[in-house]
Amino acid sequence: MYFSVLLYPCILGMLSLVHAIPVHPDSLKNLVKLQADTIILRIKDHNEKLKLSPKLLIGDPELYPEVPANKPIQGLGSIVETLSTFHKVLQRLPKGHVSQIRNDLFTLLGYLKDRMTSMRCTLKEPANERSLDAFLENNATHHITFGFLALDRLKQFMQKLIVNLDHLKSC
Amino acid sequence: MTRFIMLALLVNFITISQGLAALSPSDGRGGVYEDLKWKALLCCELPFAQTLDGGLSEHPPVGQCQLLNATKPEFSKNCLDILCWLEGERTNLICNAKSYRAAAAASLLTIRPQLVVQMNVLSDETNHAAQCAGEEIAMCSISLHGNDANVSLTISISLNETTAVSPKMQVSTHHLRRPDPPVNLHYNVTIEGEVIFRWSDTQPDGYAINYEIRYSSNSSLQQWEMVKVKGRSWVTLNDLSSGIRYMVQVRCQSHFNYWSEWSQPFYFTLDVSYIPAEVFTTPGSEITVSAVFHNRSWRASKAVWMLNGQEKIPESQYRVINEQVSAVTVTVDEPGFDTLMCCHQWGERFKCIIAYAKIYTEGMFNADITCQSKNSEVDTMSCEWNKSAWAQVRLLYRQYTSMCETISEIEGSEEAEESMSLVKECPSGAGDHRECTLRNLSLFSCYKIWLEVEGGRGKVRSFPVYVLPIDCVKPSSPTVLEATTLPNKTLSVSWRRPHLPVYDMQYELRFVALRGMANTQWKVIGPLLEPQAEIQLEESCVQFEVDVRCRRLNGSGYWSDWSTSYTSVVYNRKAPEMGPDFWRIIQEDPVRSVTNVTLIIKQPVLAGDPYSCVEGLVFEHQASGRAVWSNETTLVQFHSFQWRKEAHTVTVISRNTLGISTRNRNITLLHQPKRRVVHSFSVVANASCVYLSWSLLSNHPVPQSFVIEWLDLNKDPEQDMSLTNRLQWVRVQSTSRDLSLCRRFYGSEEFTLYPVFVDGEGEPVRYTATRGDPAAYILLLIIAFLSVVLFVTLLISQNQMRKLMWKDVPNPNNCSWAKGMDFRQIDTMENLFPHSEGLTACPLLLVSESICEVEIIEKPHPVTLEHVKENEVLIYNSGDKTTTNSTLLADSSDPLSLEASTAAPTPETSGQSSVTYSTVLLSGQPSLHRKQQESLSSSSDEGNFSGNNSDISGSFPGGLWDLENHVCSDSANPRHSSSYNSVEEFSETSDQDYEASESTGVAKDLYYLEVNEEEKEEDEEEIEETQGEWEKNEMVMRVDARPLLEEKDSTAVDTNNISHSIPLYLPQFRTECINPP
């Protein structure tokens, strides 16, 4: 009886300790890489299903700057900011569209935000949000090409993220 | 006082209630709206009450109130200044009534009786009321809850018990605030490329009279372009650039000249605009869609139209409206949703933007909806469909209580409008999803299921399917599966069907033997109508993995999933009798300095009795000085353990549920030197088998058994073939001394023979069986065959050449130099060639122009032949005599005899030819004749052309070479002399000629075969026939050139009077002799 009384607080204490231990950077890198690779493959599958003509070039890189095309990675803050933008873009797609990729991206964003919190990084407010809203407002009705463009740029960012995993160590 | 107030309130309420009925809400008379406030001036006449001195009257006096438009009060009256305004965002309306007397009193500091002001406010819309009172001033607040309202206001004033009530005043809160800014900002593009910007008013019609529009590019928000518009809610915006994000805002001005705030910004970018952006059409109708390129660098002439982003529309369907506008005309034949994209040619690719035109073609399309239902605690039905990736659809369904056939007939005959209240939407059927699961449905209700394209106004949808879920049930898998392998080679299986659905079931059963896991070929049996089955097997004692599935017996439905696999139980009546045979592999691990032993169990493990099957093994270990321990396993093929280089005995025991085997085999591993018992071990391989044999040393104990193991050396050990898989072995009885293994061998296996004793192993013996590639043998055979063919060809060709060469050999009797000569006499020869030195010293030269013919006359010499025969026997059969005779012959410088004597022991050598020339054909001994003829017929020819075959076989060209290079060489050289003595080279007589030319010098007469012109044309057979006739007449052609080539008195043979009897062949050559100086 006394043993149980002592045991429970110990277990609870250990659990809370475990919860407080931040994810090891290498573990995070592995997780991010796995998740990013998964997203890349899902995007490839999705865009291949559309069977768009390979001659089509939807959205020059200089067009639609609201969706980050080639944004530099300068640490966790910039990664989270860019991923938040992509998440917002994907959320504007109609119900049921790319829902799995959206979930994957949300999971990845959650990992990185947790990491930022544990590193006491300041979460940046997304820039040009109003402009992004306007872009979404105007274009989300053309959800196929809109999604294709957004996913293509997200894929590029994921590829860049995979080769810049060391930036996860800095804010 | 209190009574007074009560009375006043009562009057007010009565007044208000009357006023509500009498006045319209919009009636706002009496006041003015100014600066977002409502203002009014209320003046009341209050008759002075005379009751102060004379006592109270029964009825108090009542005053009169009047709303004045004048801004200045009448001082003769009691006036109130009333002011109403909004507080916050339409949260409250505040009204204030203030007496002018209060202001005057404050200034004049006179003491006057107090004026009591009481105000009542009532919101018509919400029926909220507020009441407030005060002396000289009163302020009321009423909540509006953010809405506009018409508010009624009444005021009563009292002074010295005299009361006056104001008329009802009406205040509209709508006029107390600024107008809302316009909403729904958007733009259209005309076919000419003009951008028309539009918005909507939030005010009542006609309320707004003026608008202002400002727009700016996103990058320079400080520089606004302003446009004023009066009386309309649209404006044309010019000079907009493409690719730039613009922000536009609009505000409006009300009748009271209040300007609204600026509207929410509207952002837009001009790139490509479609006119119309959405098209509704019917199948087969032509539609035309235009695209406006706002980008000036994009030209309509370079426009490329794409259908659904996949298919380029032919350019013949394009039309250039102007430089920036392209149009396309298409016909969509099938109902559904399509898109049109207008892109710009850019090299081989097409630059496109996000926007596209949407085409909704009314009608029903085929979506291939298929459903599968599941009958369990909660009945569900999962439906799948196909759709275009571009279409945004949703799955709709409706439940009916009638039969599906009835409903489909009714709906097929008339286009009944769907009652949308009964239609449900699958919550997870939109977007990318192509399947949806309906839950809590009734298996016996008919469901109508269809897809609807969003945005298609309900007119673009798929053909519906009518589904009775009971007809498409995929049942749960059968359960409680049991299987037993019986001794009578039967697999008995039983199972339990799912409870639901309740209809009759049929079953399918599949099973696979667990022995040899590589073979996973399932065997399927079915359909079965009962939940049990008995399957005849090829062998007993085998465990099987068994699965069962079920489906509806009669009617439509789906097969269930296969049940959870069940491994059959092997039925046993007793424990196994004997343990398995096994062998071991010993592997050193240099890294960990341990020795690993792997036991290989002979498969299959037999127990010896079908009623005592082996289900597993027990490995019993016993190391020296340590306890016995054991491992129990299933029927494994390998078992490994570490060996500490001590005496270690392992016993492998078979087991089943009833016990373990009693007759078991064991193995003892010893580190000490092994005894040697094998004397020899050899391995011989042929194409398909390997034969092994061995012998043991004597005086050694006989082993218990032998084990022969070998490795498949042709398999790459680097691959997944471990040593345990590559090693093969076989156990042999101790009495056996040989073994034949017939299986596939690669010819490079190393066989190791282990004698196995009770207390350990003897010294192994290894032998590598090597066998060439079978192809090499075949190649060798082919080469040998070709050699034979070549050889035969050479023989034939040589024969032909000889015929050609000797066809024209002349008869010496016809030669001028032989006129009158009798060639049968040896003297003639001597007379003919009186200078024998020259002849012997010089080789003969062929003179082609000399054509001679010699007639040979038969003259039998039986005595001489006998002598020759004796001589021959001497040469062949008597070694001593041969030596003697050889010496004799050597002394006589007869090269043929010398060659015969040396060649006799090795008949394969070229000496055989020499024998030919020293053999005499005896007509009286046909057998010998034939024998020699057979054995020498080929070698004689060979001797003519083969340079290394015989000394006497020097070829004719060789003779010429010799002549040129060794002209008049030493006459004593027997090789040279014999070379040109060859009968074959200069005569076309048969082999018997050679035999007749026996060099013993017995014959004295010279013969020559006369060949007539007709005979020259005859073939070899005819010649042989002639020879046959000659043999009958004892005619022998004897040819020996030796007398022609030797010095007359130089041989010993001459001395014994034999040389005179040698029949000579007269050469038909005229030679040029160059005597040595």
Side-chain angles (χ1 to χ4, degrees):
Chain A
M1 180 67 188
Y2 293 113
F3 176 73
S4 303
V5 170
L6 289 172
L7 184 64
Y8 290 135
C10 284
I11 291 172
L12 288 174
M14 288 175 72
L15 284 175
S16 59
L17 190 65
V18 168
H19 182 73
I21 291 172
V23 180
H24 191 272
D26 285 340
S27 305
L28 182 73
K29 276 168 69 173
N30 289 338
L31 275 172
V32 169
K33 185 178 182 310
L34 284 173
Q35 187 67 82
D37 280 334
T38 307
I39 291 172
I40 288 169
L41 282 176
R42 287 194 197 281
I43 290 173
K44 279 183 183 171
D45 286 349
H46 180 271
N47 284 351
E48 279 173 9
K49 278 180 191 168
L50 294 179
K51 295 177 183 171
L52 295 181
S53 166
K55 289 186 173 180
L56 289 191
L57 188 64
I58 296 176
D60 271 344
E62 66 268 16
L63 274 178
Y64 314 118
E66 297 82 4
V67 183
N70 197 17
K71 210 168 179 181
I73 292 178
Q74 296 165 331
L76 269 172
S78 69
I79 296 170
V80 169
E81 184 187 0
T82 306
L83 291 184
S84 299
T85 304
F86 276 114
H87 190 241
K88 190 170 182 178
V89 169
L90 297 187
Q91 277 185 315
R92 279 304 293 264
L93 287 171
K95 177 187 167 190
H97 280 269
V98 296
S99 51
Q100 188 57 58
I101 297 174
R102 212 183 307 171
N103 286 343
D104 290 345
L105 188 60
F106 185 72
T107 309
L108 180 60
L109 205 50
Y111 279 127
L112 299 178
K113 281 182 177 175
D114 276 359
R115 182 74 189 149
M116 284 187 78
T117 308
S118 67
M119 288 173 64
R120 300 178 191 281
C121 301
T122 311
L123 199 61
K124 288 182 190 172
E125 285 297 320
N128 68 346
E129 191 143 7
R130 185 173 286 183
S131 180
L132 176 64
D133 289 339
F135 164 77
L136 300 177
E137 185 68 37
N138 291 341
N139 292 287
T141 50
H142 304 105
H143 66 273
I144 294 296
T145 44
F146 172 78
F148 181 88
L149 173 89
L151 291 177
D152 193 49
R153 293 187 178 181
L154 174 61
K155 185 179 76 181
Q156 291 174 29
F157 186 76
M158 288 290 119
Q159 287 165 341
K160 186 187 271 191
L161 178 62
I162 287 171
V163 295
N164 287 285
L165 290 173
D166 285 340
H167 284 92
L168 297 176
K169 294 174 184 171
S170 63
C171 287
Chain B
M1 184 64 185
T2 307
R3 280 170 49 194
F4 167 74
I5 292 170
M6 291 288 288
L7 183 64
L9 277 173
L10 183 63
V11 170
N12 275 323
F13 278 124
I14 293 166
T15 312
I16 286 169
S17 59
Q18 288 175 344
L20 280 173
L23 295 173
S24 68
S26 60
D27 190 0
R29 63 179 180 273
V32 291
Y33 295 96
E34 194 177 292
D35 295 335
L36 300 178
K37 290 177 182 169
W38 180 83
K39 297 175 182 176
L41 184 62
L42 178 69
C43 291
C44 301
E45 277 187 56
L46 291 171
F48 185 73
Q50 301 296 326
T51 57
L52 286 174
D53 299 328
L56 286 170
S57 61
E58 289 184 1
H59 300 284
V62 177
Q64 296 286 328
C65 287
Q66 194 175 8
L67 284 167
L68 299 178
N69 287 331
T71 55
K72 289 187 177 179
E74 295 178 10
F75 287 100
S76 58
K77 299 179 180 177
N78 295 296
C79 291
L80 293 173
D81 198 3
I82 305 167
L83 202 61
C84 289
W85 70 95
L86 288 172
E87 186 190 57
E89 286 293 319
R90 306 181 208 177
T91 310
N92 298 312
L93 176 68
I94 297 171
C95 290
N96 187 33
K98 186 179 177 184
S99 163
Y100 274 92
R101 282 179 42 148
S107 60
L108 297 174
L109 294 174
T110 54
I111 299 170
R112 296 174 64 184
Q114 288 294 308
L115 184 71
V116 177
V117 179
Q118 193 165 358
M119 185 161 53
N120 295 293
V121 186
L122 177 68
S123 168
D124 295 348
E125 282 77 11
T126 60
N127 227 12
H128 286 176
Q131 195 174 49
C132 46
E135 291 180 348
E136 304 292 342
I137 188 167
M139 181 179 285
C140 267
S141 175
I142 184 170
S143 175
L144 300 173
H145 299 288
N147 299 315
D148 282 336
N150 290 314
V151 176
S152 302
L153 182 70
T154 53
I155 293 175
S156 65
I157 55 175
S158 303
L159 183 65
N160 294 332
E161 299 184 355
T162 306
T163 302
V165 179
S166 72
K168 185 179 180 181
M169 295 166 283
Q170 200 80 22
V171 180
S172 173
T173 62
H174 183 72
H175 302 316
L176 296 178
R177 61 175 178 85
R178 292 176 183 278
D180 288 331
V183 292
N184 191 23
L185 279 64
H186 61 283
Y187 71 95
N188 302 114
V189 178
T190 65
I191 196 77
E192 289 79 23
E194 280 185 338
V195 178
I196 298 174
F197 194 79
R198 298 178 188 275
W199 58 89
S200 302
D201 265 331
T202 55
Q203 318 300 329
D205 287 342
Y207 178 77
I209 50 171
N210 294 312
Y211 299 96
E212 275 186 351
I213 300 100
R214 64 175 187 179
Y215 62 96
S216 166
S217 68
N218 206 20
S219 56
S220 58
L221 286 176
Q222 304 304 320
Q223 297 175 354
W224 292 101
E225 296 284 337
M226 296 287 289
V227 179
K228 290 182 186 272
V229 176
K230 193 168 186 177
R232 57 184 164 90
S233 58
W234 59 270
V235 67
T236 302
L237 298 179
N238 298 314
D239 302 326
L240 296 175
S241 301
S242 72
I244 293 175
R245 184 162 300 283
Y246 286 99
M247 187 179 87
V248 188
Q249 287 182 302
V250 185
R251 67 175 183 173
C252 61
Q253 190 181 34
S254 67
H255 284 291
F256 300 100
N257 295 327
Y258 299 150
W259 279 104
S260 70
E261 296 291 336
W262 285 105
S263 68
Q264 288 293 317
F266 174 78
Y267 296 89
F268 70 95
T269 306
L270 294 173
D271 32 40
V272 178
S273 302
Y274 293 94
I275 306 167
E278 288 185 352
V279 184
F280 287 86
T281 183
T282 52
S285 303
E286 273 193 352
I287 55 165
T288 299
V289 176
S290 302
V292 180
F293 291 158
H294 297 281
N295 186 344
R296 296 286 167 186
S297 65
W298 285 24
R299 300 286 170 191
S301 56
K302 284 198 164 186
V304 177
W305 286 88
M306 301 290 293
L307 183 65
N308 294 326
Q310 301 163 356
E311 181 188 341
K312 183 186 172 187
I313 299 171
E315 291 180 12
S316 57
Q317 294 172 238
Y318 302 173
R319 192 158 51 91
V320 176
I321 307 290
N322 60 41
E323 279 193 352
Q324 302 300 127
V325 182
S326 171
V328 68
T329 302
V330 293
T331 304
V332 182
D333 296 326
E334 298 293 329
F337 176 78
D338 296 284
T339 63
L340 284 173
M341 291 176 75
C342 188
C343 305
H344 192 254
Q345 184 93 36
W346 187 60
E348 288 295 313
R349 305 190 71 181
F350 312 139
K351 274 187 176 178
C352 310
I353 59 143
I354 286 178
Y356 49 81
K358 300 175 181 177
I359 303 169
Y360 298 91
T361 310
E362 293 177 7
M364 292 184 180
F365 56 91
N366 187 13
D368 293 330
I369 302 172
T370 56
C371 295
Q372 195 177 74
S373 53
K374 221 169 218 180
N375 188 206
S376 57
E377 289 182 12
V378 176
D379 292 345
T380 59
M381 182 161 68
S382 297
C383 296
E384 296 179 349
W385 60 87
N386 287 326
K387 76 172 186 72
S388 157
W390 293 79
Q392 195 177 341
V393 302
R394 51 188 190 151
L395 185 83
L396 303 176
Y397 66 97
R398 182 182 167 182
Q399 182 179 359
Y400 293 87
T401 51
S402 312
M403 298 294 287
C404 278
E405 292 78 9
T406 316
I407 297 162
S408 58
E409 281 173 11
I410 293 171
E411 294 212 340
S413 59
E414 55 187 57
E415 282 292 326
E417 275 296 316
E418 205 69 60
S419 173
M420 293 308 289
S421 60
L422 299 173
V423 173
K424 295 176 184 174
E425 179 184 352
C426 180
S428 61
D432 297 331
H433 299 287
R434 286 177 170 80
E435 64 173 342
C436 177
T437 301
L438 312 178
R439 299 182 188 282
N440 287 319
L441 48 79
S442 166
L443 284 182
F444 301 95
S445 289
C446 181
Y447 286 84
K448 176 186 175 184
I449 302 168
W450 71 99
L451 293 179
E452 193 169 289
V453 175
E454 287 197 30
R457 301 171 185 171
K459 294 181 177 176
V460 186
R461 52 186 184 173
S462 72
F463 289 109
V465 292
Y466 298 89
V467 182
L468 192 66
I470 193 69
D471 286 340
C472 55
V473 169
K474 180 183 178 182
S476 302
S477 308
T479 54
V480 199
L481 185 60
E482 288 180 351
T484 309
T485 306
L486 298 172
N488 60 352
K489 296 184 181 178
T490 304
L491 177 65
S492 173
V493 189
S494 66
W495 58 91
R496 188 183 295 169
R497 55 158 288 165
H499 295 300
L500 295 172
V502 292
Y503 48 55
D504 291 335
M505 292 278 192
Q506 57 176 317
Y507 310 94
E508 247 183 22
L509 181 146
R510 65 174 184 178
F511 62 101
V512 63
L514 287 179
R515 178 183 295 167
M517 292 305 286
N519 181 18
T520 52
Q521 198 72 30
W522 290 86
K523 287 183 180 176
V524 180
I525 293 178
L528 305 164
L529 302 183
E530 296 297 325
Q532 60 185 21
E534 289 206 341
I535 304 151
Q536 286 300 314
L537 304 172
E538 292 178 356
E539 53 184 328
S540 58
C541 294
V542 180
Q543 283 189 305
F544 290 90
E545 193 177 333
V546 185
D547 292 346
V548 186
R549 64 178 182 173
C550 60
R551 65 168 288 177
R552 190 178 191 175
L553 176 59
N554 297 313
S556 56
Y558 294 94
W559 280 107
S560 71
D561 290 328
W562 288 102
S563 64
T564 309
S565 290
Y566 182 85
T567 302
S568 69
V569 176
V570 178
Y571 176 83
N572 285 307
R573 199 177 286 173
K574 57 183 180 179
E577 292 174 3
M578 58 185 185
D581 194 3
F582 64 98
W583 184 235
R584 89 291 174 279
I585 300 174
I586 300 172
Q587 290 171 296
E588 301 284 344
D589 187 349
V591 179
R592 296 191 299 163
S593 300
V594 293
T595 304
N596 292 318
V597 178
T598 303
L599 302 182
I600 311 170
I601 314 299
K602 180 73 81 182
Q603 300 293 326
V605 178
L606 301 173
D609 188 348
Y611 287 92
S612 58
C613 299
V614 181
E615 295 173 4
L617 298 174
V618 178
F619 294 87
E620 197 174 271
H621 299 261
Q622 185 174 19
S624 61
R626 289 200 286 159
V628 176
W629 74 96
S630 61
N631 305 108
E632 197 169 300
T633 65
T634 56
L635 265 178
V636 293
Q637 293 187 32
F638 307 104
H639 174 73
S640 297
F641 60 91
Q642 283 188 2
W643 179 35
R644 300 187 177 184
K645 297 291 181 72
E646 57 195 355
H648 189 125
T649 303
V650 188
T651 308
V652 183
I653 305 165
S654 298
R655 67 167 178 85
N656 64 17
T657 50
L658 300 178
I660 60 173
S661 58
T662 51
R663 287 164 46 208
N664 302 308
R665 191 179 290 277
N666 61 23
I667 194 168
T668 301
L669 303 169
L670 296 171
H671 188 53
Q672 64 196 29
K674 298 170 180 175
R675 68 183 80 165
R676 184 167 181 270
V677 292
V678 180
H679 176 251
S680 66
F681 178 49
S682 65
V683 182
V684 177
N686 68 7
S688 58
C689 293
V690 169
Y691 301 98
L692 306 102
S693 60
W694 60 93
S695 63
L696 301 182
L697 293 169
S698 57
N699 301 323
H700 278 81
V702 177
Q704 194 179 30
S705 63
F706 297 99
V707 170
I708 295 165
E709 71 169 33
W710 66 93
L711 277 177
D712 194 350
L713 300 179
N714 276 7
K715 291 185 179 175
D716 186 7
E718 295 296 324
Q719 295 178 357
D720 58 346
M721 294 293 292
S722 65
L723 181 63
T724 50
N725 286 326
R726 291 166 58 219
L727 189 132
Q728 299 187 52
W729 63 280
V730 63
R731 190 180 293 277
V732 186
Q733 294 296 318
S734 60
T735 54
S736 298
R737 293 294 179 268
D738 56 10
L739 180 68
S740 172
L741 292 171
C742 289
R743 60 186 72 178
R744 186 179 178 187
F745 284 104
Y746 293 89
S748 57
E749 288 82 1
E750 184 186 55
F751 291 86
T752 308
L753 175 72
Y754 290 88
V756 180
F757 298 93
V758 178
D759 57 347
E761 299 167 17
E763 188 179 339
V765 187
R766 291 183 175 81
Y767 197 95
T768 303
T770 53
R771 195 182 66 220
D773 194 348
Y777 288 103
I778 293 168
L779 198 64
L780 207 62
L781 282 172
I782 291 170
I783 290 170
F785 175 74
L786 287 176
S787 301
V788 169
V789 169
L790 185 66
F791 181 70
V792 170
T793 310
L794 280 173
L795 283 181
I796 293 169
S797 61
Q798 183 193 13
N799 214 11
Q800 293 298 322
M801 283 181 70
R802 192 184 65 188
K803 282 182 186 174
L804 287 172
M805 185 175 288
W806 293 103
K807 195 190 298 180
D808 298 325
V809 172
N811 190 339
N813 286 328
N814 295 335
C815 296
S816 56
W817 50 268
K819 291 289 183 185
M821 291 290 179
D822 184 2
F823 288 100
R824 289 173 296 183
Q825 299 299 321
I826 192 66
D827 296 337
T828 305
M829 296 300 296
E830 289 170 355
N831 295 333
L832 186 62
F833 302 104
H835 305 289
S836 58
E837 301 87 359
L839 284 171
T840 52
C842 300
L844 296 171
L845 276 179
L846 177 66
V847 181
S848 59
E849 64 269 21
S850 300
I851 302 172
C852 302
E853 187 173 327
V854 178
E855 185 176 352
I856 301 172
I857 300 166
E858 178 189 19
K859 188 176 182 181
H861 294 279
V863 178
T864 306
L865 287 172
E866 283 183 11
H867 184 81
V868 171
K869 182 186 173 187
E870 289 172 9
N871 195 17
E872 183 193 359
V873 171
L874 279 174
I875 290 169
Y876 279 108
N877 300 331
S878 174
D880 297 333
K881 287 180 181 177
T882 303
T883 307
T884 309
N885 201 10
S886 297
T887 310
L888 178 68
L889 289 169
D891 292 338
S892 66
S893 302
D894 187 348
L896 297 179
S897 300
L898 179 64
E899 287 296 319
S901 64
T902 53
T906 54
E908 296 83 9
T909 62
S910 58
Q912 191 175 16
S913 297
S914 302
V915 173
T916 302
Y917 289 92
S918 60
T919 304
V920 177
L921 175 66
L922 296 176
S923 58
Q925 293 178 330
S927 59
L928 176 63
H929 169 117
R930 281 196 298 275
K931 181 181 176 185
Q932 289 172 342
Q933 192 174 21
E934 283 168 10
S935 63
L936 300 174
S937 60
S938 60
S939 61
S940 61
D941 286 341
E942 186 183 6
N944 286 333
F945 286 92
S946 174
N948 63 355
N949 202 2
S950 170
D951 287 338
I952 61 168
S953 64
S955 65
F956 182 70
L960 282 177
W961 182 88
D962 239 0
L963 177 67
E964 290 168 5
N965 294 284
H966 307 280
V967 179
C968 299
S969 59
D970 185 11
S971 60
N973 187 347
R975 297 178 69 86
H976 280 255
S977 59
S978 64
S979 294
Y980 301 102
N981 286 342
S982 171
V983 174
E984 277 292 315
E985 286 176 341
F986 303 109
S987 169
E988 65 175 336
T989 54
S990 65
D991 293 333
Q992 286 137 358
D993 294 343
Y994 304 106
E995 294 156 7
S997 64
E998 215 282 325
S999 59
T1000 54
V1002 176
K1004 292 181 181 178
D1005 296 331
L1006 180 65
Y1007 298 90
Y1008 185 77
L1009 175 65
E1010 182 177 1
V1011 182
N1012 295 326
E1013 287 300 317
E1014 293 79 14
E1015 291 171 346
K1016 289 177 187 175
E1017 301 299 323
E1018 287 175 5
D1019 56 17
E1020 185 111 329
E1021 289 179 5
E1022 289 171 327
I1023 293 171
E1024 286 175 4
E1025 287 174 11
T1026 308
Q1027 289 169 353
E1029 289 174 9
W1030 290 345
E1031 285 170 14
K1032 287 176 183 176
N1033 298 324
E1034 295 183 307
M1035 182 189 74
V1036 177
M1037 295 176 290
R1038 299 187 181 97
V1039 179
D1040 193 344
R1042 186 181 59 190
L1044 295 174
L1045 302 173
E1046 287 178 350
E1047 290 184 15
K1048 191 176 179 183
D1049 302 322
S1050 62
T1051 61
V1053 180
D1054 291 340
T1055 58
N1056 59 11
N1057 297 323
I1058 296 173
S1059 63
H1060 296 286
S1061 63
I1062 296 172
L1064 291 175
Y1065 171 72
L1066 185 68
Q1068 294 82 39
F1069 300 100
R1070 179 179 295 168
T1071 61
E1072 287 183 10
C1073 180
I1074 301 171
N1075 291 318

